[in-house]
Amino acid sequence: MAKIILTGDRPTGRLHLGHYVGSLRRRVELQNSGEFDKIFIMIADAQALTDNADNPEKVRQNVIEVALDYLSAGLDPTKSTLFIQSQIPELCELAFYYMNLVTVQRLQRNPTVKAEIQLRGFSENAAEGDTTQRQGIPVGFFTYPISQASDITAFRATTVPAGEDQEPMIEQTREIVHKFNSTYGPTLVEPEILLPDNAACMRLPGTDGKTKMSKSLGNCIYLSDTADEVKKKVMGMYTDPDHLRVEDPGKVEGNTVFTYLDAFCRPEHFEKYLPEYPSLDELKAHYRRGGLGDVKVKRLLIAVLNEVLDPIRERRRYYETRIAEVYAMLEAGSRQAREAAAATLNDVRNAMKINYFDDKELIAAQTQAFAEKDE
């Protein structure tokens, strides 16, 4: 069986470090490894519209932002197929068929859906005039896991690189595949999730110490942020609230600055930026026993992050002067993606026996049956 990757992002804003360590950095590594036969990377604009239906211009403008982030991070359209979800109508048809395989109760139990509904402020019981909550849950948003299953199975993906918060979604895709194959015969491929291999990257917290970096919470460091913006955000980061003086012992666990160092720092960074410490473990030990200030640790993190982001910024500047070329890349990738999705949809239609015009045996058998009836 061919080894295929499918992954992507919603274009609701620029991509941030949470996206980078959670999936994007790994995508680039996998793309360059030669381990996979095909890699599909999707800009999920149709899914973004499920909770941005009143602001399509926001989604429209952010498609190019996400594309620029992809290219600047190192994704190569000659090695990976970059495409726009809405340009693949076969995905909608697959999702429609999959809806018959999932109950409302099962969708309601999906913890990722529950969390996203809460995060976006949807409520079935919002009082009239209450501007703190969004009235009602759009059906499209509620059925997000089914749409995601359509995306994954359309390209016969065997692997989906994603953060741990996406595990319930991948599990629901597997359930849909199993139900379809049990009902109609072996047709679809069950995917596996590929989690980050660094525990700190599983769910990078926001700069405010919240459990997740999120555009909607305004606690992000973006891949396109300038060096000065990164410095400002890191200097304002949440640390240990009880570490009031340099001499005070500090906590590393739950300290956002150290979580980021776990995600990004490498041994060579100490020789380069903080040679008095041989390793991150030694830096943590000093912080725990007291005598190490937050500012010094933050300055190390600023240097490390800007080293990571400098080449990304440079590539972004290059592509920002070639926007027409970027759209041409996306158009070519969308054509390739549509061919792959159409082949899967054809197999699905055949399995479901709704391929009426292609089934010559059906036509011949029914022709003969009605002829014999008339005799």
Side-chain angles (χ1 to χ4, degrees):
M1 178 188 296
K3 297 179 67 176
I4 299 172
I5 282 177
L6 182 283
T7 187
D9 300 279
R10 289 159 37 100
T12 54
R14 295 171 293 155
L15 301 185
H16 51 64
L17 290 180
H19 294 115
Y20 184 71
V21 299
S23 180
L24 187 51
R25 180 170 60 183
R26 191 73 175 275
R27 294 177 204 172
V28 176
E29 294 170 354
L30 295 170
Q31 165 195 269
N32 297 332
S33 71
E35 178 184 351
F36 288 84
D37 300 288
K38 196 73 177 175
I39 298 177
F40 292 95
I41 301 179
M42 176 180 71
I43 300 177
D45 60 328
Q47 288 179 355
L49 287 169
T50 61
D51 60 326
N52 289 278
D54 57 347
N55 194 2
E57 190 61 27
K58 170 188 173 183
V59 176
R60 180 180 178 85
Q61 294 299 327
N62 279 309
V63 165
I64 192 65
E65 293 286 354
V66 172
L68 290 170
D69 284 331
Y70 281 171
L71 294 167
S72 62
L75 291 175
D76 183 346
T78 67
K79 298 178 181 179
S80 298
T81 302
L82 310 182
F83 69 97
I84 302 175
Q85 182 187 32
S86 64
Q87 305 307 297
I88 320 298
E90 289 80 3
L91 301 178
C92 294
E93 186 171 345
L94 284 172
F96 183 80
Y97 298 144
Y98 295 168
M99 286 180 188
N100 298 319
L101 307 176
V102 183
T103 66
V104 171
Q105 291 77 11
R106 176 62 182 91
L107 288 173
Q108 289 173 329
R109 293 197 307 271
N110 188 305
T112 303
V113 173
K114 287 182 179 179
E116 293 295 332
I117 286 172
Q118 184 177 13
L119 178 65
R120 285 163 175 77
F122 288 123
S123 174
E124 291 287 8
N125 303 308
E128 186 174 351
D130 183 357
T131 58
T132 64
Q133 292 184 307
R134 300 169 70 174
Q135 182 66 47
I137 303 167
V139 171
F141 188 85
F142 184 65
T143 59
Y144 188 103
I146 300 174
S147 172
Q148 192 170 72
S150 169
D151 300 328
I152 294 168
T153 59
F155 304 103
R156 304 184 189 280
T158 56
T159 306
V160 181
E164 64 175 350
D165 59 321
Q166 290 298 306
E167 283 191 280
M169 305 290 266
I170 306 304
E171 180 57 33
Q172 189 141 25
T173 295
R174 292 170 60 83
E175 290 176 13
I176 289 171
V177 169
H178 180 74
K179 183 68 178 292
F180 187 97
N181 289 346
S182 298
T183 304
Y184 300 110
T187 308
L188 302 175
V189 175
E190 284 194 24
E192 298 288 346
I193 191 170
L194 181 64
L195 295 168
D197 52 8
N198 181 333
C201 300
M202 297 288 272
R203 186 175 295 192
L204 196 68
T207 55
D208 56 358
K210 300 291 185 182
T211 56
K212 184 178 180 181
M213 185 174 285
S214 169
K215 289 171 281 193
S216 60
L217 295 176
N219 59 3
C220 302
I221 295 177
Y222 294 100
L223 300 183
S224 54
D225 277 348
T226 65
D228 286 342
E229 288 171 331
V230 170
K231 179 180 178 181
K232 182 178 179 180
K233 290 179 179 181
V234 171
M235 293 305 292
M237 263 187 181
Y238 176 87
T239 56
D240 176 5
D242 296 324
H243 188 242
L244 302 177
R245 299 173 301 173
V246 171
E247 59 267 27
D248 290 338
K251 293 179 182 178
V252 170
E253 295 73 18
N255 188 320
T256 305
V257 177
F258 281 100
T259 302
Y260 276 60
L261 287 172
D262 283 332
F264 289 98
C265 197
R266 300 191 303 273
E268 57 266 30
H269 285 139
F270 284 92
E271 182 179 352
K272 190 173 183 180
Y273 300 119
L274 210 58
E276 60 265 43
Y277 295 94
S279 67
L280 182 57
D281 286 340
E282 291 294 328
L283 186 73
K284 289 180 178 179
H286 190 179
Y287 190 82
R288 286 189 177 104
R289 66 176 179 265
L292 176 60
D294 289 324
V295 170
K296 190 170 187 176
V297 181
K298 288 180 176 181
R299 283 175 178 162
L300 170 63
L301 178 58
I302 291 166
V304 169
L305 290 181
N306 280 323
E307 181 178 305
V308 170
L309 292 174
D310 276 342
I312 294 175
R313 296 182 186 118
E314 184 177 352
R315 285 190 291 267
R316 199 178 214 278
R317 286 192 292 270
Y318 171 85
Y319 284 110
E320 283 177 342
T321 64
R322 293 164 172 81
I323 297 300
E325 293 180 21
V326 175
Y327 274 109
M329 292 176 193
L330 294 174
E331 185 177 14
S334 296
R335 283 197 301 269
Q336 295 172 24
R338 187 170 185 188
E339 290 177 4
T344 300
L345 178 59
N346 184 66
D347 289 346
V348 164
R349 284 170 154 267
N350 289 341
M352 295 178 68
K353 300 187 182 301
I354 55 175
N355 58 335
Y356 307 108
F357 307 130
D358 296 330
D359 193 342
K360 305 306 180 185
E361 292 183 3
L362 170 69
I363 297 171
Q366 290 184 339
T367 299
Q368 182 177 351
F370 280 103
E372 292 175 352
K373 180 180 177 182
D374 293 336
E375 289 178 358

